[in-house]
Amino acid sequence: MSADTRPKVVSLGHGGTSLGQLANAPLALVLAQVRFSPYLTIGSHIPTIQDALRKQYPAFSHEKIQTIEFGPTFGPPKVENEDLWNFTDAENREGFVVQRNSLIFIATKYETFEDFSERHAKLLTCFAGTIPDLLVERLGLRYVDLIVPNDGESPQEYVIPGLRGCEAQSLKAINFDSQAISRWVFPNGHLLFRYSTGVKPPFLPQDLGSIKLDNAEVVNRAERAKSNVASMDFDRIVNHKSPFNAKELSTLFKKMHDDLSTIFKQSRNKHAEEVWNSKP
């Protein structure tokens, strides 16, 4: 985050110059999730949470979503209607979602991880102080970036050779798409990285299609782009069974962020740094 005169090095919103501070930032969305053992009457605490955070997140909606759970046998699936409480800021660019078994903090605006982490920590602290005796089971931190190439370029020119696939230009195909998936396993969970070219509107991964925040600027650029668009999807999962402790969870999210930052730095090349640090 330093403001010296050396060339700026891109990181995952994270170490060096933050993605959110770049003139041509590729960051589309960041999501931090805490999953906990289901609390069936969590809805009774929603008014208290709203009172505590209404200044930062004044917009609110309550909806029901249908969930389908398949059992271990070949019997019919279990279908339920589950409550979902949405809180968003006035710009509809940042917010959080409460369900009976999870708390999700989401943003499509982002400058530094430190700023994001500070706001996330306030939410975790409020949650811990409002809802007693939650048992955390798993944490997730996810970043989605979009590569919107300059005219006449392809996404492959922004990543390391190992992600580019076999383009086989001699085939003279009218289009080429590729996907690379990498997975790292740790004692406490895993890290999954997906690189995909040829992504189409709405450009975010399908499992994030229900997110209702307004687009990051890079998504708007992708909608106007005439060239192929690619996505870089970084997902760190940590299995962590413990009481809900806001300070401990914030520390774990920082470590998860560092892991994701390492992979991001190794996946993009120098050309990507230069383009993302220039005006679109």
Side-chain angles (χ1 to χ4, degrees):
M1 313 312 163
S2 61
D4 59 22
T5 57
R6 292 172 294 177
K8 297 182 178 180
V9 177
V10 178
S11 71
L12 196 62
H14 356 205
T17 299
S18 173
L19 283 180
Q21 294 177 318
L22 296 174
N24 203 11
L27 185 65
L29 178 143
V30 56
L31 180 154
Q33 181 182 44
V34 180
R35 290 188 66 91
F36 43 82
S37 183
Y39 185 11
L40 302 183
T41 59
I42 197 170
S44 64
H45 297 281
I46 294 299
T48 304
I49 294 173
Q50 185 181 41
D51 286 343
L53 297 173
R54 188 175 179 85
K55 183 177 180 180
Q56 295 87 357
Y57 305 102
F60 170 79
S61 66
H62 174 211
E63 59 185 288
K64 288 185 179 290
I65 60 172
Q66 191 173 80
T67 62
I68 302 176
E69 181 179 346
F70 293 91
T73 65
F74 292 100
K78 183 179 180 181
V79 180
E80 291 185 340
N81 290 318
E82 186 174 336
D83 290 292
L84 187 150
W85 295 272
N86 290 288
F87 299 79
T88 58
D89 64 7
E91 298 177 339
N92 198 39
R93 295 288 304 279
E94 181 179 285
F96 63 96
V97 180
V98 180
Q99 293 176 261
R100 66 182 180 181
N101 66 341
S102 72
L103 171 65
I104 306 174
F105 186 52
I106 317 168
T108 59
K109 66 175 182 180
Y110 186 103
E111 290 192 357
T112 68
F113 176 74
E114 287 74 16
D115 289 340
F116 176 84
S117 181
E118 182 179 356
R119 295 192 299 275
H120 188 209
K122 290 179 180 178
L123 172 61
L124 294 175
T125 300
C126 174
F127 213 72
T130 303
I131 305 177
D133 304 323
L134 288 177
L135 179 64
V136 174
E137 295 180 339
R138 190 174 69 184
L139 308 178
L141 183 63
R142 188 170 180 179
Y143 284 80
V144 179
D145 300 331
L146 294 181
I147 300 177
V148 183
N150 289 332
D151 291 344
E153 295 181 343
S154 71
Q156 272 81 339
E157 296 174 62
Y158 290 66
V159 297
I160 60 173
L163 297 177
R164 296 175 184 174
C166 182
E167 193 165 2
Q169 294 182 354
S170 62
L171 296 178
K172 298 182 180 180
I174 60 173
N175 187 48
F176 170 74
D177 294 329
S178 67
Q179 185 176 63
I181 301 177
S182 302
R183 187 171 186 264
W184 296 261
V185 178
F186 305 90
N188 66 348
H190 67 271
L191 191 161
L192 189 63
F193 169 51
R194 308 174 188 88
Y195 168 72
S196 303
T197 66
V199 294
K200 306 298 182 185
F203 297 107
L204 295 178
Q206 290 185 353
D207 61 316
L208 300 178
S210 61
I211 291 174
K212 299 178 179 180
L213 295 180
D214 289 348
N215 289 340
E217 177 55 32
V218 69
V219 178
N220 297 331
R221 293 202 304 271
E223 291 175 343
R224 300 189 300 265
K226 299 179 181 179
S227 56
N228 197 343
V229 174
S231 67
M232 303 175 77
D233 187 355
F234 306 84
D235 196 359
R236 178 69 166 101
I237 300 296
V238 168
N239 299 315
H240 179 75
K241 201 163 190 175
S242 73
F244 196 112
N245 182 296
K247 185 175 181 180
E248 180 184 32
L249 295 180
S250 291
T251 299
L252 286 170
F253 275 111
K254 173 63 170 62
K255 294 178 180 178
M256 295 161 69
H257 160 270
D258 291 345
D259 290 341
L260 294 175
S261 182
T262 296
I263 302 304
F264 178 81
K265 291 175 182 177
Q266 294 180 9
S267 63
R268 62 26 175 181
N269 60 22
K270 185 65 177 177
H271 179 62
E273 295 178 25
E274 294 171 350
V275 171
W276 293 337
N277 201 37
S278 63
K279 292 183 179 181

